[in-house]
């Protein structure tokens, strides 16, 4: 899997994050080369990034990231009709944001390595209810052809175990042409039955891959919004 670098602004949009959402401890699971943890910490938030790729070590990640970023950009430009460029304005602006995010990520990884934990789903080295908000982007549902429904169930239950308030997952379609994931609704019902949580799939103010403009929002405490 390529090591990708998404920006803080992208995270704010794809997870529809408001300032008040980041007042507690936030875990970014499958964070890759994102600058989210670095920028959120700069704004005073407590953020932890998790990805099994961090086990390679700082130097290996730093050596790998530029080539992975270049391959991603080649793919985006070659398949540009599969993507919506409105949020970015242009492919050039998209590339500029991703390269800046990679630079911010690497600088923070070197300065604050303790913020980056080598771990991945379906098992996280965190205590029960140790985070307020848990985010997971471009892993669950995105790679549903590689990970079956049972794996998704175990992974989402793990995210719910760690969260004392909310879990947000984006996007909810297959990688590629954005087909819906057939087991999404049944899995939501299963997770709600197993945890007592409430979930919803609201539209977010971000769409890059066509059809990928909703997130799964799971309320893991009694302080839940009423079902819409």
């Amino acid at each position: 899997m390529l090591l990708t670098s998404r920006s803080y602004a992208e995270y704010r949009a794809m997870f529809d994050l408001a300032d008040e959402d980041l007042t507690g401890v936030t875990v970014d699971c499958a964070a890759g080369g994102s600058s989210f943890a670095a920028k959120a910490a700069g704004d005073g938030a407590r953020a932890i990034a998790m990805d099994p790729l961090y086990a390679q070590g700082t130097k290996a990640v730093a050596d790998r990231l530029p080539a992975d970023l270049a391959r991603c950009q080649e793919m985006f430009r070659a398949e540009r009709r599969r993507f919506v460029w409105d949020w970015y304005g242009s492919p050039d602006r998209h590339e500029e944001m991703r390269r800046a995010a990679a630079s911010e990520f690497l600088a923070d990884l070197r300065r604050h390595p303790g913020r980056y934990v080598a771990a991945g789903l379906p098992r996280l080295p965190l205590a029960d209810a140790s985070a307020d908000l848990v985010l997971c982007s471009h892993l669950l549902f995105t790679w549903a052809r590689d990970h079956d429904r049972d794996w998704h169930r175990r992974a989402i239950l793990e995210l719910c175990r760690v969260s004392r308030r909310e879990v947000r997952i984006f996007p909810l379609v297959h990688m590629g042409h954005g087909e819906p994931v057939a087991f999404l609704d049944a899995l939501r019902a299963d997770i709600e039955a197993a945890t007592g949580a409430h979930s919803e799939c609201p539209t977010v103010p971000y769409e890059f891959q066509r059809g990928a403009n909703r997130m799964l929002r799971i309320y893991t405490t009694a302080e839940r919004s009423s079902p819409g």
Side-chain angles (χ1 to χ4, degrees):
M1 188 177 296
L2 293 176
L3 184 58
T4 56
S5 296
R6 293 181 175 87
S7 70
Y8 186 51
E10 289 171 289
Y11 267 67
R12 295 288 298 240
M14 67 190 183
F15 290 113
D16 199 15
L17 293 171
D19 290 344
E20 55 267 28
D21 294 323
L22 301 174
T23 55
V25 176
T26 301
V27 171
D28 179 12
C29 186
S34 165
S35 66
F36 172 79
K39 298 290 284 186
D43 284 348
R46 289 171 289 168
I48 301 168
M50 298 191 130
D51 199 295
L53 291 169
Y54 303 153
Q56 297 177 10
T58 299
K59 184 180 185 304
V61 169
D63 289 345
R64 170 180 172 173
L65 186 54
D68 280 8
L69 182 60
R71 281 195 289 272
C72 284
Q73 293 304 320
E74 288 174 7
M75 184 270 290
F76 293 144
R77 289 177 182 272
E79 302 289 340
R80 62 181 298 167
R81 291 185 179 180
R82 285 169 37 194
F83 300 96
V84 179
W85 300 94
D86 296 352
W87 191 87
Y88 296 97
S90 70
D92 287 344
R93 177 57 180 154
H94 174 270
E95 182 172 359
E96 178 185 337
M97 290 182 68
R98 292 292 175 91
R99 291 191 181 280
S103 178
E104 291 161 354
F105 159 73
L106 289 174
D108 196 61
L109 179 63
R110 294 183 177 108
R111 286 195 301 263
H112 303 285
R115 192 147 41 224
Y116 299 87
V117 179
L121 293 170
R123 188 170 182 82
L124 302 176
L126 296 172
D128 293 358
S130 55
D132 294 281
L133 175 63
V134 182
L135 307 175
C136 185
S137 80
H138 296 86
L139 172 61
L140 291 158
F141 305 115
T142 297
W143 299 103
R145 292 190 182 89
D146 299 318
H147 299 295
D148 63 12
R149 174 177 165 172
D150 179 67
W151 185 91
H152 277 72
R153 182 182 189 276
R154 290 185 288 120
I156 295 175
L157 287 176
E158 181 72 348
L159 297 177
C160 291
R161 179 188 70 79
V162 169
S163 171
R164 55 178 169 255
R165 194 182 76 210
E166 274 189 58
V167 173
R168 300 187 190 187
I169 299 167
F170 178 89
L172 306 182
V173 296
H174 287 282
M175 180 65 180
H177 293 284
E179 303 94 336
V181 175
F183 58 73
L184 171 60
D185 290 340
L187 180 59
R188 280 180 61 199
D190 191 3
I191 295 297
E192 290 183 351
T195 64
H198 162 63
S199 71
E200 58 188 14
C201 295
T203 300
V204 300
Y206 175 90
E207 182 182 7
F208 181 44
Q209 181 184 356
R210 291 193 183 278
N213 63 350
R214 294 191 306 152
M215 69 172 165
L216 174 58
R217 188 172 184 176
I218 304 172
Y219 300 89
T220 57
T221 72
E223 298 177 2
R224 302 169 191 152
S225 71
S226 59

